[in-house]
Amino acid sequence: MERRNVGILGATGAVGQRFIQLLADHPWFNITWLAASDRSAGKTYAEACAWRLDTPLPKRVAEMVLQPNTPEGSATDLPRIIFSSVDAPIARELEPKFAAAGCAVISNSSAFRMGADVPLVVPEVNEAHLDVIEAQATRNTSGGYLVTNPNCCAIGLVLPLAPLHQRFGIEKLFVSTMQAVSGAGYPGVASLDILGNVIPYIKNEEEKLQEEVAKLLGGLRVEGENARGFQLADLTVSAMCNRVPVLEGHTECVSVKLRKPATREEILDAWQDFQPLSGEGHEGLHLPSAPLHPVVYVEGDARPQPKLDLDRGNGMTTTVGRLRPCSIFDWKFTLLSHNTVRGAAGAAILNAEILAVLGKFDFRKFPPIGLALEENAVPA
Amino acid sequence: MERRNVGILGATGAVGQRFIQLLADHPWFNITWLAASDRSAGKTYAEACAWRLDTPLPKRVAEMVLQPNTPEGSATDLPRIIFSSVDAPIARELEPKFAAAGCAVISNSSAFRMGADVPLVVPEVNEAHLDVIEAQATRNTSGGYLVTNPNCCAIGLVLPLAPLHQRFGIEKLFVSTMQAVSGAGYPGVASLDILGNVIPYIKNEEEKLQEEVAKLLGGLRVEGENARGFQLADLTVSAMCNRVPVLEGHTECVSVKLRKPATREEILDAWQDFQPLSGEGHEGLHLPSAPLHPVVYVEGDARPQPKLDLDRGNGMTTTVGRLRPCSIFDWKFTLLSHNTVRGAAGAAILNAEILAVLGKFDFRKFPPIGLALEENAVPA
Amino acid sequence: MERRNVGILGATGAVGQRFIQLLADHPWFNITWLAASDRSAGKTYAEACAWRLDTPLPKRVAEMVLQPNTPEGSATDLPRIIFSSVDAPIARELEPKFAAAGCAVISNSSAFRMGADVPLVVPEVNEAHLDVIEAQATRNTSGGYLVTNPNCCAIGLVLPLAPLHQRFGIEKLFVSTMQAVSGAGYPGVASLDILGNVIPYIKNEEEKLQEEVAKLLGGLRVEGENARGFQLADLTVSAMCNRVPVLEGHTECVSVKLRKPATREEILDAWQDFQPLSGEGHEGLHLPSAPLHPVVYVEGDARPQPKLDLDRGNGMTTTVGRLRPCSIFDWKFTLLSHNTVRGAAGAAILNAEILAVLGKFDFRKFPPIGLALEENAVPA
Amino acid sequence: MERRNVGILGATGAVGQRFIQLLADHPWFNITWLAASDRSAGKTYAEACAWRLDTPLPKRVAEMVLQPNTPEGSATDLPRIIFSSVDAPIARELEPKFAAAGCAVISNSSAFRMGADVPLVVPEVNEAHLDVIEAQATRNTSGGYLVTNPNCCAIGLVLPLAPLHQRFGIEKLFVSTMQAVSGAGYPGVASLDILGNVIPYIKNEEEKLQEEVAKLLGGLRVEGENARGFQLADLTVSAMCNRVPVLEGHTECVSVKLRKPATREEILDAWQDFQPLSGEGHEGLHLPSAPLHPVVYVEGDARPQPKLDLDRGNGMTTTVGRLRPCSIFDWKFTLLSHNTVRGAAGAAILNAEILAVLGKFDFRKFPPIGLALEENAVPA
């Protein structure tokens, strides 16, 4: 696989730093372009950013100069693959411009996740949704497009749900979350608000979780031979989202009602067998960021725990535990997901990897970015 | 109200310390007897106990000498009212002995909560269950008996449930908890296990919560004119219990399915109107530990919080917030309860107060404790 | 003592909220004026402020309308006593304007603490420094003036130092602090930075601590009969300041070298006897916020602790423990001080109380504020 | 280097688990023997131990059967190299037995650290002290001996002190610590005691720190050609030790008085140049656990921090920051050290590595362990 140049929009934020950490030695991608806010353009990354991760800031990145956060700003050098981790209002404005300019925008933002022709993808779960990318060509002819990954809680949840949904059908589910502060970015949650405390609310989080799961587990809306959009899964989610004094790792308590009965063994088997990216038809895929097992069940009363299970599968595996019958629905379990790796930067990178394998980064038939910029002016 | 002598069994533990703190200036009760484990008998309280509360240990209590933890040990001075906060296995052995000796044992232990003739009481919710005390006379004729308060999570939960159950009927509910470390006693949860972490399991907690709510909201089983036992309420509870790094205050996320539809206003009214201990028939009750409002609803997205709402009603009020429709059941809300005040020592003291008012501490017709001890030997 | 009207500048911040909490039922002062930033002027306090204390926001204050933060903005109603808790750069601009307008500005800000004619006062330590207020009349004739209280760490430290300095003389001292996040205001320290972490740096804190102690323990510079300024104490302080994940309460580890030898008993006596505000010449003072004992020594290896000792003397007492010989200097000890009560709002209120008693709030001989405003225009 | 069999005494404790984690893939050592308390002998390691580290328990170790914790218990299979991490009172009893039996006991316990013929060693600092091992032959002829590593705080501290002491001489120093809870083992510090709190005391810690630094920086007492004991360094340490709510990583604030003046650059150079294990005479040493740089200085106001700097050099490097002049002594700085890696298990393993290189594991001239056991009975 040839190494492709990529850019990061929102490079200095909490998720932006994770992008840099995870892409530093990536075999397929090479960071050549960074942008953050307007006021940091022109500074080196090291000047503009207070690095807060516990691995060193790569020297090469430290010295890169931040670009203006518009495609026009650095048109000739703009890479065709842009990872985006800007806040939703900014994403709503900027991401379509980059797509119009001819970039594949792989976004962690919530702005366009529920868009009618925007794939919301977790590769192990609904890779097929990427077909809808073609539908975006009606909006721009530059070859650019937008692909999103879900909310951090939805990703961790949908991984163990997917194999259950395939085998038994999920009718409804309750999920109650205990979410880490890193999910709120930086500076994010004030220490005065969360030290020794629980905040029983995260803005829009319950809504996102409820609607994104239905899109992720849903199907395609096909017209003729073409995927034109999405069909929501016929299931109901009720979410209760909370912030707890944990640095990294979202814990979620789940109870599911299935359409077909399932024994404990059948459920554990469904998780154990869930290897969608290395299964039939995928031999030789080997996406660098894909964990061998997207879902791992751990025995023991008191698992999973952020302290013990966060980094499983390099932070890309959802760890599940405490499978037990529910007195109201069918089965209850608890899951843990790394919210800034699998739940954010890692999710977008995995999306980029599957796009690469599927040939969605082949831009040869499209005009170069400079030209596309002229032709695809985005209306205000 | 004359001031009555009381004793505390398990006086040096976390809940025992709360008993001492809350009883220090109690208008109706006077601590005259303390016991902890065998090995601390004979020491002063100050010697035997590392006081860990943020109000000073009362000097008078500090100097009291710990008694052996059996009724025989200090028979002549044994008060007829014993608060108990020993662990379940010890309670199972000791509490019946004190009851047999003629003491009203008001216990925070889980050992006998589900006993067929043992009232499990939250005064605002099921005061009538105290009638079953008489049924215990079949076991001993000393005048002694056993009354229990629920698990810390069940108390906080049943207060807002009770008025909803009365008005609309509760059919089922999900509850997911985030519980403080003080609920595990001392030394309890190791800091290595909980700092920056979530432990998604508390031994037996889900089971207790599920069964105790049904007993609390249930009715009496009457034979002839006499209450002989209890009838569980016809509702189903599914609980998911978690430990979080919070010192005091259990937060619970609840979703309820009602038997009759209720609007948001009707639910808020039900909570607002819920003043069972000062309502009709209770004029002049004025239990010293009873909060004016057992349930208080706070507006605001992110409430209740342990940091902000713990001490409402001197720690005896359940604070509720975030009432919102549920996509699966009817209504979701979040509650906070002070787990070592309303959820433990304060609960038992309130039980003692209602017992005092109901005349259940009138032991004149029973033999003195010394005599009862001889007559009511408990079989090993 | 007649009840005087007071205003609060910076009323919505962390310290501003403490002012409101502590002044809510103050016997001598009555809040009639509130101001925060420009953009909050015109809103009610409840609208402008996210109340974050665990006692309820007083209803009367909630409904007060925030004024512009200049004396001109509400000249006629401006009270003559203004508590200020704005950040240093803003204090540097605003506080002189209020003083020029005729207000006694009692500030918690660091802006003017080291000013040549500005008293930096802890009443128990250097009440006499208030005489220098008169020297400020050279700058304005409105009757207004500026009085400051020290940095939160310096207050907690100087209380146990003062009686040692009086009796034995302090030559030098090391102090290493572990400071609560509330000291950084709101939002202050990001949870991502401090959860489970130590930050070994607080901007300018070591410098403040080192210089303020010398001013506090120093004397007056007298010309003729008039106190014209201050003389720094002849001692050297070396400070090392750290932030730890504690909500309230600064812990400080101290080692002192004395000029005269002192036994353990002599030191404990010095602290025990330290009752400057109720001693000779102060009979009948009874400042409402003054603790009976400004310094209390607690026995026990592991004391003081924020969890156990924070609220001693309603948060106005410095708790000291672990007095032991030092292998390099003379004595080591550890202290705890409530950083937003004694270390901020409570300190300023106590300063106001001593000013009231000393007659420094008698403005009858000065022009009313409106007039003063015209006459005392502060040059830009 | 041939792979040697090693055993672990105290294998299930917090440090024992670190030994297993760090030795799992060690190129020179192979775990063949494990012991914990008497009551766990006979169980598999997985049965006896609640694994609490965030890397998986190695499967091979999980299935090993715990041996009795005496040399007699498994004499024939007892390896000659025993890592010990039992508590001091147990170490005092058991470690001499293993040494008498012919084992090299490499201990993390404090029991014998200050022993007159027991090396207390940090290889980069005082490797030469290992010569005193020979002096132990007077006590037993089995070839066994005892080597210790310092207290966790002393190790982190002595690394940056050593090059300063070599170049400039240290006369005295203050050190104030903020120590992680993992230093207290498991269950160790109760969460009720430390959540949101500071405990300003750790039993015996200040004494250990003060005396161990003097031994570590001291020299040898030579008689004739033989090293017979140690000479304490002529310096004075004053320590103030505190526990803070941090999981891993001890932070220490230091102020040193030097015998010769040193500029900032000279100090930074001393640290930068400090590569004792790869310097002259050590070419080709390459101890697997030795960090390339034992001391690394990080720029930036607010460094080092546990969150950012803990794992430098795989947890074997002391990170130093905030070098600045001291108003009383010469220089102040802050350091961070990984207390259960460099401060415990990693320290012992590094000691074993240097012993291996120095030929101290060549037991060919000594009797086999079974025989030694008979000949070297330790008197009760």
Side-chain angles (χ1 to χ4, degrees):
Chain A
M1 178 82 52
E2 66 180 310
R3 218 146 163 254
R4 288 178 169 86
N5 292 342
V6 301
I8 302 172
L9 196 54
T12 57
V15 176
Q17 296 190 12
R18 275 279 180 218
F19 271 124
I20 285 164
Q21 184 188 49
L22 297 175
L23 290 170
D25 300 308
H26 198 283
W28 296 359
F29 303 124
N30 181 36
I31 304 173
T32 60
W33 184 93
L34 299 173
S37 66
D38 276 345
R39 70 175 184 287
S40 57
K43 296 183 187 169
T44 65
Y45 187 80
E47 285 163 358
C49 167
W51 185 254
R52 280 174 303 272
L53 298 179
D54 60 359
T55 55
L57 170 58
K59 195 168 154 42
R60 190 181 70 85
V61 173
E63 293 168 357
M64 285 177 67
V65 174
L66 289 166
Q67 302 300 312
N69 59 11
T70 58
E72 294 83 5
S74 46
T76 50
D77 300 327
L78 191 65
R80 298 224 56 150
I81 305 171
I82 297 289
F83 292 103
S84 168
S85 62
V86 292
D87 287 343
I90 300 169
R92 197 165 290 284
E93 183 200 339
L94 293 184
E95 292 182 353
K97 291 187 187 171
F98 282 85
C103 298
V105 178
I106 298 151
S107 174
N108 180 55
S109 163
S110 65
F112 296 102
R113 282 183 197 148
M114 298 304 291
D117 61 3
V118 178
L120 173 70
V121 172
V122 172
E124 293 95 333
V125 171
N126 65 337
E127 178 196 328
H129 286 205
L130 292 172
D131 290 349
V132 183
I133 287 174
E134 321 297 333
Q136 295 186 36
T138 58
R139 273 185 292 145
N140 70 65
T141 57
S142 64
Y145 56 85
L146 211 59
V147 165
T148 63
N149 60 261
N151 165 279
C152 46
C153 276
I155 299 176
L157 176 59
V158 84
L159 282 169
L161 290 186
L164 303 188
H165 192 54
Q166 276 168 22
R167 294 199 185 184
F168 317 111
I170 292 174
E171 188 184 326
K172 41 194 169 183
L173 67 105
F174 271 100
V175 56
S176 179
T177 71
M178 293 168 284
Q179 300 183 221
V181 296
S182 59
Y186 187 86
V189 184
S191 56
L192 270 174
D193 285 335
I194 197 67
L195 266 173
N197 200 21
V198 166
I199 304 176
Y201 175 71
I202 299 171
K203 198 174 176 188
N204 297 332
E205 193 81 355
E206 297 178 350
E207 293 78 2
K208 287 179 194 169
L209 192 42
Q210 295 179 173
E211 69 186 15
E212 292 180 13
V213 167
K215 183 168 179 180
L216 286 158
L217 295 181
L220 288 174
R221 193 170 51 72
V222 178
E223 293 177 10
E225 303 231 321
N226 298 319
R228 308 306 297 179
F230 309 97
Q231 201 131 23
L232 297 188
D234 179 22
L235 54 78
T236 313
V237 178
S238 178
M240 313 196 265
C241 293
N242 303 282
R243 187 79 68 195
V244 292
V246 166
L247 275 178
E248 290 276 7
H250 289 355
T251 305
E252 310 182 30
C253 300
V254 183
S255 178
V256 290
K257 181 154 181 49
L258 303 173
R259 295 190 183 274
K260 282 194 289 189
T263 65
R264 178 183 168 84
E265 285 64 38
E266 287 170 331
I267 288 179
L268 295 179
D269 283 351
W271 287 331
Q272 173 70 28
D273 298 349
F274 186 54
Q275 284 179 279
L277 294 181
S278 55
E280 218 170 321
H282 280 88
E283 283 87 358
L285 251 185
H286 302 310
L287 304 187
S289 303
L292 182 59
H293 292 281
V295 177
V296 168
Y297 186 84
V298 285
E299 297 290 343
D301 282 337
R303 302 289 285 271
Q305 292 180 22
K307 186 177 179 243
L308 298 174
D309 299 298
L310 183 68
D311 290 326
R312 182 164 283 114
N314 292 320
M316 292 296 283
T317 290
T318 290
T319 304
V320 185
R322 294 206 70 209
L323 181 67
R324 60 204 191 282
C326 177
S327 51
I328 295 181
F329 285 174
D330 293 314
W331 290 99
K332 293 194 282 197
F333 56 87
T334 300
L335 69 89
L336 175 82
S337 174
H338 193 307
N339 55 293
T340 62
V341 176
R342 175 52 106 156
I349 293 171
L350 189 61
N351 278 349
E353 292 170 2
I354 191 97
L355 287 165
V357 162
L358 295 174
K360 306 286 190 189
F361 289 157
D362 180 0
F363 297 99
R364 278 169 298 180
K365 55 189 167 177
F366 296 101
I369 286 208
L371 200 57
L373 264 173
E374 288 169 36
E375 292 178 358
N376 280 277
V378 183
Chain B
M1 178 82 52
E2 65 178 311
R3 214 142 168 261
R4 288 178 169 87
N5 292 342
V6 301
I8 302 172
L9 196 55
T12 56
V15 176
Q17 297 190 13
R18 274 281 179 218
F19 271 124
I20 284 165
Q21 183 188 50
L22 297 175
L23 291 170
D25 301 306
H26 198 283
W28 296 0
F29 304 124
N30 181 34
I31 304 174
T32 61
W33 184 93
L34 298 173
S37 65
D38 277 344
R39 70 175 184 286
S40 57
K43 296 184 186 170
T44 65
Y45 187 79
E47 285 164 357
C49 168
W51 185 254
R52 278 175 305 269
L53 298 179
D54 62 356
T55 56
L57 170 59
K59 196 170 154 42
R60 191 181 70 83
V61 172
E63 294 168 355
M64 286 178 65
V65 174
L66 289 167
Q67 302 300 313
N69 60 9
T70 58
E72 295 83 3
S74 47
T76 50
D77 299 327
L78 190 67
R80 297 224 56 148
I81 305 171
I82 297 290
F83 291 103
S84 168
S85 62
V86 292
D87 286 342
I90 299 170
R92 196 165 291 284
E93 181 199 339
L94 293 185
E95 292 182 354
K97 291 187 186 171
F98 282 86
C103 297
V105 178
I106 297 151
S107 173
N108 180 56
S109 163
S110 65
F112 296 102
R113 282 183 197 148
M114 298 304 291
D117 61 3
V118 178
L120 174 71
V121 172
V122 173
E124 293 96 333
V125 171
N126 64 338
E127 178 196 326
H129 284 204
L130 293 172
D131 290 349
V132 182
I133 287 174
E134 320 297 334
Q136 295 185 36
T138 57
R139 272 187 291 146
N140 69 66
T141 57
S142 64
Y145 57 84
L146 210 59
V147 166
T148 62
N149 59 262
N151 166 279
C152 45
C153 275
I155 299 177
L157 175 59
V158 84
L159 282 169
L161 290 186
L164 302 189
H165 192 55
Q166 276 169 23
R167 295 199 184 183
F168 316 111
I170 292 175
E171 188 183 324
K172 42 194 169 183
L173 67 104
F174 271 99
V175 55
S176 177
T177 71
M178 292 168 284
Q179 301 183 219
V181 294
S182 59
Y186 188 86
V189 184
S191 56
L192 270 175
D193 284 335
I194 197 66
L195 266 173
N197 200 20
V198 166
I199 304 176
Y201 175 70
I202 300 171
K203 198 176 176 187
N204 297 333
E205 193 81 355
E206 297 179 349
E207 293 78 2
K208 288 179 194 170
L209 192 43
Q210 295 180 174
E211 70 185 13
E212 292 180 14
V213 167
K215 182 169 180 180
L216 286 157
L217 294 180
L220 288 174
R221 193 171 50 75
V222 179
E223 294 177 9
E225 302 232 321
N226 297 319
R228 308 305 298 178
F230 310 97
Q231 202 131 24
L232 297 187
D234 179 23
L235 54 77
T236 312
V237 178
S238 177
M240 313 197 264
C241 293
N242 303 284
R243 188 79 69 194
V244 292
V246 166
L247 275 178
E248 290 275 7
H250 289 353
T251 305
E252 309 182 30
C253 299
V254 184
S255 179
V256 289
K257 179 154 184 49
L258 303 173
R259 294 188 182 275
K260 283 194 288 188
T263 65
R264 178 182 168 85
E265 286 63 41
E266 288 170 332
I267 287 178
L268 295 179
D269 283 353
W271 287 331
Q272 172 70 29
D273 299 349
F274 186 53
Q275 285 180 278
L277 293 181
S278 56
E280 218 171 321
H282 282 89
E283 283 87 358
L285 249 186
H286 301 309
L287 303 187
S289 303
L292 183 57
H293 292 282
V295 178
V296 168
Y297 187 83
V298 286
E299 296 290 343
D301 281 339
R303 300 288 285 271
Q305 291 179 23
K307 186 176 179 241
L308 298 173
D309 300 298
L310 183 69
D311 290 326
R312 182 163 283 115
N314 292 321
M316 293 296 283
T317 290
T318 290
T319 304
V320 184
R322 296 205 70 211
L323 182 66
R324 61 205 191 282
C326 178
S327 50
I328 295 180
F329 286 173
D330 293 315
W331 290 98
K332 292 193 281 197
F333 55 88
T334 300
L335 69 89
L336 176 82
S337 175
H338 194 307
N339 55 293
T340 61
V341 176
R342 175 52 105 154
I349 293 171
L350 190 61
N351 277 350
E353 292 171 3
I354 191 96
L355 287 166
V357 163
L358 294 174
K360 306 284 190 191
F361 288 157
D362 181 0
F363 296 99
R364 277 170 301 182
K365 55 187 168 177
F366 295 102
I369 286 210
L371 202 55
L373 263 175
E374 288 169 34
E375 293 178 358
N376 278 278
V378 182
Chain C
M1 178 82 51
E2 65 179 309
R3 210 137 170 266
R4 288 179 169 86
N5 292 343
V6 301
I8 303 172
L9 196 55
T12 56
V15 176
Q17 296 191 14
R18 275 279 180 218
F19 271 124
I20 284 165
Q21 183 188 50
L22 297 175
L23 290 170
D25 301 306
H26 199 282
W28 296 359
F29 304 123
N30 181 35
I31 304 173
T32 62
W33 185 93
L34 298 173
S37 65
D38 276 344
R39 70 176 185 286
S40 57
K43 296 183 187 169
T44 65
Y45 187 80
E47 284 163 359
C49 167
W51 184 254
R52 278 175 305 268
L53 298 180
D54 62 357
T55 57
L57 170 59
K59 195 170 154 43
R60 192 181 70 84
V61 173
E63 294 167 357
M64 286 177 67
V65 174
L66 289 167
Q67 302 300 312
N69 60 9
T70 58
E72 295 83 3
S74 48
T76 51
D77 300 327
L78 190 65
R80 299 227 48 153
I81 304 171
I82 298 289
F83 291 103
S84 168
S85 62
V86 292
D87 286 342
I90 300 169
R92 196 164 292 284
E93 181 199 341
L94 293 184
E95 292 181 354
K97 292 188 186 171
F98 282 85
C103 297
V105 179
I106 297 150
S107 173
N108 180 55
S109 164
S110 66
F112 296 103
R113 282 182 198 149
M114 298 304 291
D117 60 4
V118 178
L120 174 70
V121 172
V122 172
E124 293 95 333
V125 171
N126 64 336
E127 178 196 327
H129 285 203
L130 293 172
D131 290 349
V132 182
I133 287 173
E134 320 296 334
Q136 295 186 35
T138 57
R139 272 186 291 146
N140 71 66
T141 58
S142 65
Y145 57 84
L146 211 59
V147 166
T148 62
N149 60 261
N151 166 279
C152 46
C153 276
I155 299 177
L157 175 59
V158 83
L159 282 169
L161 290 186
L164 302 189
H165 192 54
Q166 277 169 23
R167 295 199 184 183
F168 316 111
I170 292 175
E171 187 183 324
K172 42 192 170 184
L173 67 104
F174 271 100
V175 55
S176 178
T177 71
M178 291 169 283
Q179 301 184 220
V181 294
S182 59
Y186 188 86
V189 184
S191 56
L192 270 175
D193 284 334
I194 197 67
L195 267 172
N197 200 20
V198 166
I199 304 176
Y201 175 71
I202 300 171
K203 199 176 175 186
N204 296 332
E205 193 82 356
E206 297 178 350
E207 293 77 3
K208 289 180 193 169
L209 192 42
Q210 293 179 176
E211 69 185 14
E212 293 180 13
V213 167
K215 182 169 180 180
L216 286 157
L217 294 180
L220 289 173
R221 193 170 49 75
V222 179
E223 294 178 8
E225 303 233 320
N226 298 317
R228 309 305 298 178
F230 310 97
Q231 202 131 24
L232 298 187
D234 179 23
L235 53 78
T236 312
V237 178
S238 178
M240 314 197 263
C241 292
N242 303 283
R243 188 77 70 194
V244 291
V246 166
L247 275 177
E248 290 274 8
H250 289 353
T251 304
E252 310 182 30
C253 299
V254 184
S255 178
V256 290
K257 179 155 184 49
L258 303 173
R259 295 188 182 276
K260 282 195 289 189
T263 66
R264 179 182 168 85
E265 286 63 39
E266 287 169 332
I267 288 179
L268 294 179
D269 283 351
W271 287 332
Q272 172 70 28
D273 298 348
F274 186 54
Q275 284 180 278
L277 294 180
S278 55
E280 217 172 320
H282 281 89
E283 283 86 0
L285 250 185
H286 302 308
L287 303 188
S289 303
L292 183 58
H293 291 281
V295 177
V296 168
Y297 187 84
V298 286
E299 297 289 344
D301 282 338
R303 300 290 283 273
Q305 292 179 23
K307 186 176 179 240
L308 298 173
D309 299 298
L310 183 69
D311 291 326
R312 181 163 284 117
N314 292 321
M316 293 295 283
T317 290
T318 290
T319 304
V320 184
R322 296 205 72 210
L323 181 67
R324 60 207 190 281
C326 178
S327 51
I328 294 180
F329 286 175
D330 293 315
W331 290 99
K332 293 193 281 196
F333 55 88
T334 300
L335 68 89
L336 176 82
S337 175
H338 194 308
N339 56 294
T340 63
V341 175
R342 175 52 106 156
I349 293 171
L350 189 62
N351 278 350
E353 291 171 3
I354 191 95
L355 287 165
V357 162
L358 295 174
K360 306 284 191 191
F361 288 157
D362 181 1
F363 296 99
R364 278 170 299 181
K365 55 186 169 179
F366 296 101
I369 286 210
L371 201 57
L373 264 174
E374 288 168 37
E375 292 178 358
N376 278 278
V378 183
Chain D
M1 178 81 52
E2 66 180 308
R3 218 145 163 257
R4 287 177 169 87
N5 293 343
V6 301
I8 303 172
L9 196 54
T12 57
V15 176
Q17 296 190 13
R18 276 278 179 219
F19 271 124
I20 285 165
Q21 184 188 50
L22 297 175
L23 291 170
D25 300 307
H26 198 283
W28 296 358
F29 303 124
N30 181 36
I31 304 175
T32 60
W33 183 93
L34 298 173
S37 65
D38 275 346
R39 69 175 184 287
S40 57
K43 296 183 187 169
T44 65
Y45 188 80
E47 285 164 358
C49 167
W51 184 254
R52 279 175 305 271
L53 297 180
D54 62 358
T55 55
L57 169 58
K59 196 169 155 40
R60 191 181 70 86
V61 173
E63 295 168 356
M64 285 177 66
V65 175
L66 289 167
Q67 302 300 312
N69 60 10
T70 58
E72 293 83 3
S74 47
T76 50
D77 300 328
L78 191 66
R80 298 224 57 147
I81 305 172
I82 297 289
F83 291 104
S84 168
S85 62
V86 292
D87 287 342
I90 300 169
R92 197 166 291 284
E93 182 200 339
L94 293 185
E95 292 181 354
K97 291 188 186 171
F98 282 85
C103 298
V105 179
I106 297 152
S107 174
N108 180 55
S109 163
S110 66
F112 296 102
R113 283 183 197 147
M114 298 304 290
D117 60 3
V118 178
L120 174 70
V121 172
V122 173
E124 293 95 333
V125 172
N126 64 337
E127 178 196 326
H129 285 203
L130 292 171
D131 290 349
V132 183
I133 286 174
E134 320 297 333
Q136 296 186 34
T138 58
R139 273 188 290 145
N140 69 66
T141 56
S142 65
Y145 56 85
L146 211 58
V147 166
T148 64
N149 59 261
N151 166 279
C152 45
C153 275
I155 299 177
L157 176 58
V158 82
L159 282 170
L161 290 185
L164 303 189
H165 192 55
Q166 277 168 22
R167 294 198 184 184
F168 317 111
I170 293 176
E171 187 184 326
K172 41 193 170 182
L173 66 104
F174 271 100
V175 55
S176 178
T177 71
M178 293 168 284
Q179 301 183 219
V181 295
S182 59
Y186 188 86
V189 184
S191 57
L192 271 174
D193 284 336
I194 196 68
L195 267 173
N197 200 21
V198 166
I199 304 176
Y201 175 71
I202 299 171
K203 197 173 176 188
N204 296 332
E205 193 82 354
E206 297 178 350
E207 293 78 2
K208 288 179 194 168
L209 192 42
Q210 294 179 175
E211 68 186 14
E212 292 180 13
V213 167
K215 183 168 179 180
L216 286 157
L217 295 180
L220 288 174
R221 192 169 52 73
V222 179
E223 294 177 10
E225 303 232 320
N226 298 319
R228 309 304 298 178
F230 310 98
Q231 202 131 22
L232 298 187
D234 179 23
L235 53 77
T236 312
V237 178
S238 177
M240 314 197 265
C241 292
N242 303 282
R243 187 79 68 193
V244 292
V246 166
L247 276 178
E248 290 275 7
H250 289 355
T251 305
E252 310 182 30
C253 299
V254 183
S255 179
V256 289
K257 182 154 181 49
L258 303 173
R259 294 189 184 274
K260 283 194 287 189
T263 65
R264 178 183 169 83
E265 285 63 40
E266 287 169 332
I267 288 178
L268 295 178
D269 283 352
W271 288 331
Q272 173 70 29
D273 299 348
F274 185 55
Q275 283 180 278
L277 294 181
S278 56
E280 217 171 320
H282 281 89
E283 284 86 359
L285 250 185
H286 302 309
L287 304 187
S289 303
L292 182 58
H293 292 281
V295 177
V296 168
Y297 186 84
V298 286
E299 296 291 342
D301 282 339
R303 301 289 285 272
Q305 292 180 22
K307 184 175 180 243
L308 298 173
D309 299 298
L310 183 68
D311 290 326
R312 181 163 284 115
N314 292 319
M316 293 295 285
T317 291
T318 290
T319 304
V320 183
R322 296 205 70 211
L323 182 67
R324 60 205 191 280
C326 177
S327 51
I328 295 181
F329 286 173
D330 293 313
W331 291 99
K332 293 194 282 198
F333 55 87
T334 300
L335 68 89
L336 175 82
S337 175
H338 193 308
N339 55 294
T340 61
V341 175
R342 175 53 106 157
I349 293 171
L350 190 61
N351 278 350
E353 292 170 3
I354 191 96
L355 287 166
V357 163
L358 294 175
K360 306 285 190 190
F361 290 158
D362 181 359
F363 296 99
R364 277 169 300 181
K365 54 188 167 177
F366 296 101
I369 286 209
L371 200 58
L373 264 174
E374 287 169 38
E375 292 179 359
N376 279 278
V378 182

